[in-house]
Amino acid sequence: MNVGLIGCGNMARALARGWGRPVLCADPVAERAQQLAEETGGEALPSNAEVARRAALVVLCHKPAQLESVAAEVAPHARAVASILAATPLQRLREAYPDTPVYRFIPSLPVEVRQGAVVQAADGSQDSKVDAHVHELFAELGTLVVLDDALVDVAMGLMSCGPAYVALVAEAQVDAGVRHGIPAAQGAALVAQTLAGTAELLRRRDYDTLALRREVSSPGGLTARGVDALERGGLRAAFSDALDAVLRPS
Ligand SMILES: NC(=O)c1ccc[n+]([C@@H]2O[C@H](COP(=O)([O-])OP(=O)(O)OC[C@H]3O[C@@H](n4cnc5c(N)ncnc54)[C@H](OP(=O)(O)O)[C@@H]3O)[C@@H](O)[C@H]2O)c1
């Protein structure tokens, strides 16, 4: 499927790298589009309209505030549109693109290495052959979960914000190790691999987080003490507050 990216920022770059195929693209900063085109073996085009004319699927990678202005250029030409815009429900997308099939996905940065969490929004009115192709395209990027459109922003607060949270957790662990004498580089290697390996174990144990914790925490042991300290430090409450903060209207 011939993909055209509208906007060539962080997430467009991650998607294009994850797909690993040539893309058509446009951006207000021409060099940014040119760079992404060169990296993927694709083509930077002079306008959003030209991308829409040439692509089988247009992927909206600009900011949510630009929905209407971009739609004015893209809608007359697009055959199908997939949006990754935060806080922009399917209904708003359909109003902006009334005559085009529209899809809503929320990716996360690890799509760049095809290890992303991706959410596809559903509200019961999707159909047709194009849907399967679009779904498969985004499913290439990692684990794709279909959720009701009303829950997509909640999901975004977990998985799109997640890489920043996980990076912060990793940094905190590394700093704790540094305080006790572990060099930062070695500490970071240990922590990053622990995160990656634990994610794989959770998948193999049907995402049963408690079962995994029990395997590591022998009664009266060191891990149980560490987990208790994290709980007392408010780890759960901090993540709960983080999600509230993300979902609070700005
Ligand atoms: N980053 C994430 O983890 C993440 C996760 C899920 C969803 N999203 C969504 O993905 C979208 C992009 O986010 P991002 O982090 O990649 O932002 P970004 O790095 O700022 O990229 C947005 C790009 O769109 C360009 N742009 C602005 N106006 C445009 C127009 N009229 N036509 C075409 N391109 C235009 C911007 O150019 P200028 O900088 O010159 O304005 C910029 O290069 C957002 O809607 C965001 O909600 C992001």
Side-chain angles (χ1 to χ4, degrees):
M1 182 176 261
N2 194 8
V3 171
L5 305 178
I6 306 291
C8 299
N10 293 309
M11 194 41 76
R13 201 177 314 118
L15 290 170
R17 286 176 176 163
W19 282 319
R21 288 191 288 274
V23 290
L24 302 167
C25 57
D27 191 279
V29 179
E31 305 85 73
R32 217 182 275 150
Q34 194 53 44
Q35 213 170 13
L36 189 58
E38 276 168 21
E39 187 179 332
T40 64
E43 204 177 335
L45 297 174
S47 69
N48 293 335
E50 190 61 17
V51 172
R53 267 193 286 271
R54 299 258 311 266
L57 176 73
V58 171
V59 183
L60 305 179
C61 300
H62 52 77
K63 291 288 190 186
Q66 294 140 1
L67 175 65
E68 278 78 20
S69 59
V70 168
E73 302 166 71
V74 167
H77 315 288
R79 279 168 269 170
V81 170
S83 162
I84 63 160
L85 313 186
T88 310
L90 275 169
Q91 187 51 36
R92 276 199 62 207
L93 295 171
R94 291 198 185 105
E95 283 162 16
Y97 291 91
D99 303 317
T100 314
V102 288
Y103 304 87
R104 181 186 184 200
F105 294 90
I106 294 293
S108 55
L109 202 60
V111 294
E112 178 176 323
V113 290
R114 295 168 85 92
Q115 295 276 337
V118 181
V119 167
Q120 180 173 7
D123 65 359
S125 44
Q126 287 78 15
D127 63 296
S128 93
K129 278 200 313 221
V130 186
D131 294 5
H133 286 123
V134 177
H135 178 94
E136 278 161 28
L137 182 74
F138 279 84
E140 285 178 22
L141 299 169
T143 296
L144 189 152
V145 172
V146 179
L147 272 182
D148 190 276
D149 194 44
L151 287 174
V152 168
D153 291 335
V154 180
M156 182 165 178
L158 302 184
M159 32 69 77
S160 292
C161 306
Y165 298 170
V166 171
L168 183 63
V169 167
E171 190 183 311
Q173 279 195 277
V174 172
D175 279 349
V178 166
R179 201 157 52 79
H180 285 273
I182 297 224
Q186 278 100 325
L190 294 172
V191 168
Q193 185 52 42
T194 303
L195 290 172
T198 305
E200 184 55 32
L201 282 181
L202 278 174
R203 260 196 290 268
R204 291 185 188 196
R205 284 158 175 65
D206 289 332
Y207 305 103
D208 190 339
T209 51
L210 180 59
L212 191 137
R213 283 209 290 124
R214 290 272 186 261
E215 282 182 57
V216 186
S217 315
S218 47
L222 304 181
T223 305
R225 273 195 249 160
V227 168
D228 181 57
L230 287 173
E231 295 278 18
R232 284 171 194 278
L235 185 82
R236 269 178 211 268
F239 278 112
S240 187
D241 287 351
L243 187 54
D244 292 349
V246 166
L247 295 174
R248 197 175 301 136
S250 42

